[in-house]
Amino acid sequence: MSARENPSRPVPNPGVMEIAAYVPGKSKVKPGVKLHKLSSNETPFGPSPAAIEAYRAGAETLEFYPDGSATELRKAIAETHGLNPDNLICGNGSDELLGLLAHVYLKPGDEAIFTEHGFLVYKIQILANGATPVVAPETDLRSDVDAILDRVTERTKIVFLANPNNPTGTYISDAEVKRLQAGLPKHVLLVLDAAYAEYVRRNDYSAGVELVSDNENVVMTRTFSKIHGLAALRIGWMYGPAHIIDALNRVRGPFNLNSAAIAAGAAAIRDRAHVDEAAHFNDTWLPVLTGALTDIGLTVTPSVGNFILIHFPDGNPEKSAAAADAFLTERGYVLRAVGAYGLPNALRMTVGSAEANEGVIEALKDFMGRA
Ligand SMILES: *Cc1c(COP(=O)(O)O)cnc(C)c1O
């Protein structure tokens, strides 16, 4: 018998060892320097005070299992977005839901498509289920519907589309997403990851509710980690056709959301004024940051999210993204290196507090101005 048939130790399933483990945004600077964490698209506003209160109230009943159906949270989401709660499922972050979708619909030999600079979790989940990742090139750092459709084969089972995409901050219009769906075979699942939908201010954008409602092969995932400021509690949700919700409910952990997440999430989504305030702050800062950094001589990809992608000059190691990253970190400004996303000479910056944003602009002025 060969070593392969009779291994000397447990062997992971196919695909697992091909995964490059996800590296979260940095969160440390040297002692004595004030940290401005702008590396994970977290909100400078924090969560709604009502969410914090709901979280604290949960401390009184920690001996009880949570409601395994997250009823209160699904009800709050349904009311806010005008959806049927039966078509909602919540997850321990939308990451869990993306993983469940891959687990339910992918097996070895299947293919799943995502875009060139798409969110890294897709590739991880595809490989984790032994399926084959297929990358569709982008055009000008934007998802390209024709490139995606060109890569569909009879083995394709899922198309993952972050819209807006992270880390590019770009989006494609509702009409383009509809054209994508119309071009897919009926059995191919289209996953619309709308983690930043609340920030988008474009008339031709849609997070995908209508497309989900009208079809059997589209789902939309959302998160409480970004505009709702609850990343620590890990809360995501998905709107989808009944047959997909049913399949995911069979494989998820029976208590995949904890009580604090259910209570705080419900309070957060009901506090619409808090959400509006955060979105408005972002509207103000996106153009200011983009303008100021462009004036310094940097290139910024136009973003509709709560972050911007900053491109550093090519062919000048002293002004590279890596050099800027070190320079900023030294001063307490922690941005996100995006080499793993195929963007080695760019940094992604979350729109932070006014103090943090102004600090980054000043620091990058210094950085670019140095001989
Ligand atoms: C931040 C982010 C998420 C959210 O993940 P959670 O697990 O809900 O925290 C999902 N998709 C994209 C593209 C993101 O950037």
Side-chain angles (χ1 to χ4, degrees):
M1 220 185 281
S2 76
R4 185 169 252 275
E5 284 158 6
N6 192 9
S8 60
R9 58 183 195 179
V11 176
N13 284 334
V16 171
M17 299 314 290
E18 289 168 52
I19 295 172
Y22 187 86
V23 181
K26 288 185 297 186
S27 55
K28 282 214 174 67
V29 289
K30 66 181 185 193
V33 174
K34 180 173 176 188
L35 168 69
H36 295 280
K37 184 168 188 275
L38 306 170
S39 58
S40 300
N41 299 343
E42 295 141 336
T43 170
F45 278 81
S48 158
I52 298 173
E53 201 174 304
Y55 174 84
R56 288 214 176 99
E60 303 302 321
T61 51
L62 293 178
E63 69 274 37
F64 298 117
Y65 276 96
D67 167 17
S69 310
T71 312
E72 186 196 342
L73 180 55
R74 285 188 302 118
K75 193 161 159 270
I77 296 166
E79 282 168 16
T80 306
H81 289 276
L83 304 172
N84 181 343
D86 294 342
N87 291 97
L88 300 176
I89 180 172
C90 295
N92 191 253
S94 48
D95 284 351
E96 184 191 22
L97 297 166
L98 296 169
L100 289 172
L101 288 167
H103 182 60
V104 167
Y105 295 102
L106 297 177
K107 61 181 184 312
D110 290 343
E111 296 173 359
I113 302 174
F114 55 92
T115 68
E116 188 178 354
H117 305 292
F119 190 40
L120 278 177
V121 167
Y122 312 142
K123 186 179 182 185
I124 292 173
Q125 295 299 345
I126 295 163
L127 288 170
N129 289 281
T132 305
V134 175
V135 178
E138 297 181 3
T139 304
D140 297 332
L141 299 178
R142 273 178 67 216
S143 302
D144 181 328
V145 167
D146 293 306
I148 296 171
L149 290 174
D150 280 349
R151 279 157 187 80
V152 173
T153 73
E154 55 202 21
R155 289 187 295 277
T156 307
K157 293 290 162 57
I158 300 183
V159 173
F160 288 102
L161 182 74
N163 197 33
N165 186 45
N166 166 19
T168 54
T170 59
Y171 78 107
I172 60 172
S173 70
D174 187 36
E176 281 293 277
V177 179
K178 285 182 172 148
R179 191 165 73 79
L180 170 60
Q181 192 275 337
L184 292 174
K186 296 269 178 263
H187 69 274
V188 174
L189 174 63
L190 175 59
V191 178
L192 301 175
D193 177 348
Y196 301 95
E198 294 88 349
Y199 287 109
V200 184
R201 300 287 203 229
R202 292 289 187 283
N203 290 330
D204 63 352
Y205 172 78
S206 162
V209 167
E210 186 191 344
L211 210 53
V212 174
S213 301
D214 292 348
N215 295 282
E216 294 285 342
N217 67 332
V218 187
V219 296
M220 169 188 75
T221 60
R222 304 284 287 263
T223 184
F224 282 78
S225 302
K226 304 290 156 59
I227 205 160
H228 294 295
L230 291 173
L233 289 184
R234 315 300 305 120
I235 316 169
W237 58 280
M238 185 182 100
Y239 174 53
H243 70 98
I244 297 179
I245 302 293
D246 175 46
L248 263 61
N249 271 326
R250 288 165 196 260
V251 298
R252 70 172 172 84
F255 304 103
N256 60 333
L257 267 83
N258 64 69
S259 310
I262 294 169
I269 204 165
R270 289 197 162 111
D271 188 348
R272 299 211 200 181
H274 189 81
V275 173
D276 288 346
E277 197 187 345
H280 180 71
F281 178 87
N282 197 63
D283 295 343
T284 309
W285 273 102
L286 266 187
V288 173
L289 279 167
T290 305
L293 297 180
T294 307
D295 288 347
I296 295 168
L298 296 163
T299 308
V300 176
T301 301
S303 172
V304 296
N306 69 331
F307 55 91
I308 54 172
L309 188 64
I310 310 168
H311 303 270
F312 289 81
D314 281 325
N316 182 353
E318 286 179 18
K319 307 282 185 234
S320 68
D325 196 15
F327 186 89
L328 289 166
T329 302
E330 189 70 19
R331 285 155 184 78
Y333 304 103
V334 178
L335 277 61
R336 178 62 157 264
V338 283
Y341 286 92
L343 298 161
N345 207 21
L347 294 177
R348 189 193 67 197
M349 172 190 179
T350 305
V351 176
S353 66
E355 182 196 350
N357 299 338
E358 280 157 6
V360 171
I361 292 170
E362 285 311 309
L364 284 177
K365 254 185 213 161
D366 281 1
F367 174 75
M368 291 301 286
R370 286 183 319 162

